[in-house]
Amino acid sequence: MAKTVKKAAKKAAKKAPKKAAKKAPAKKAAKKAAKKAPAKKSARKPNAGFMVALTASPALAEVVGSKPLPRTEIIKKIWDYIKANKLQDSKNKRMINADAKLKTLFAGKEQISMFDLAGVVSKNVK
């Protein structure tokens, strides 16, 4: 009788690790799936300050038009004008060469940096 109990205990010990081994990959897969699932992000709202329609000065209106536009659209239209007239410096792409219309915007300067463009827009809108 003692032999049968020992045999039963050995069988149970052999089965126990198999059951645990079968459950472990399922748990790992569930953890991986939980990690891979991206968290839902809320829709990003535009900053109201950028979306306010601004009135352009007469000098700026020659380039972008007289219709009130948000600051982002004004910058886009200036860049469209610069690229259409090939006013970006060929050697140093960061510099913008002025033509007759842009020279009035740039306060008489022949050339400005693209980083100064936001300042030029700020001075010429209301």
Side-chain angles (χ1 to χ4, degrees):
M1 191 160 146
K3 288 183 181 179
T4 57
V5 173
K6 286 182 182 178
K7 285 183 182 178
K10 284 184 181 179
K11 285 183 181 178
K14 287 182 180 178
K15 288 182 182 178
K18 288 181 182 177
K19 286 182 183 177
K22 288 181 182 177
K23 288 182 183 178
K27 286 182 182 177
K28 286 181 181 177
K31 285 183 181 179
K32 285 183 181 177
K35 287 182 182 178
K36 288 183 181 178
K40 290 186 179 180
K41 294 182 180 180
S42 62
R44 189 170 181 189
K45 296 177 184 174
N47 187 340
F50 284 118
M51 302 313 289
V52 175
L54 301 169
T55 306
S57 69
L60 183 59
E62 290 181 24
V63 178
V64 298
S66 59
K67 185 179 167 185
L69 296 168
R71 186 177 303 274
T72 54
E73 290 297 317
I74 292 172
I75 295 289
K76 283 182 187 178
K77 288 193 180 245
I78 291 173
W79 272 108
D80 290 341
Y81 180 82
I82 290 167
K83 289 179 181 176
N85 293 309
K86 298 179 182 175
L87 297 173
Q88 199 169 3
D89 192 49
S90 60
K91 292 180 182 177
N92 187 355
K93 298 285 185 179
R94 290 181 289 177
M95 301 305 285
I96 301 166
N97 299 322
D99 65 350
K101 290 181 182 179
L102 290 182
K103 197 167 187 178
T104 57
L105 280 178
F106 297 167
K109 295 180 183 176
E110 289 290 326
Q111 196 177 49
I112 68 163
S113 170
M114 69 169 59
F115 303 112
D116 298 332
L117 198 57
V120 169
V121 170
S122 293
K123 291 175 184 174
N124 288 286
V125 293
K126 290 182 183 181

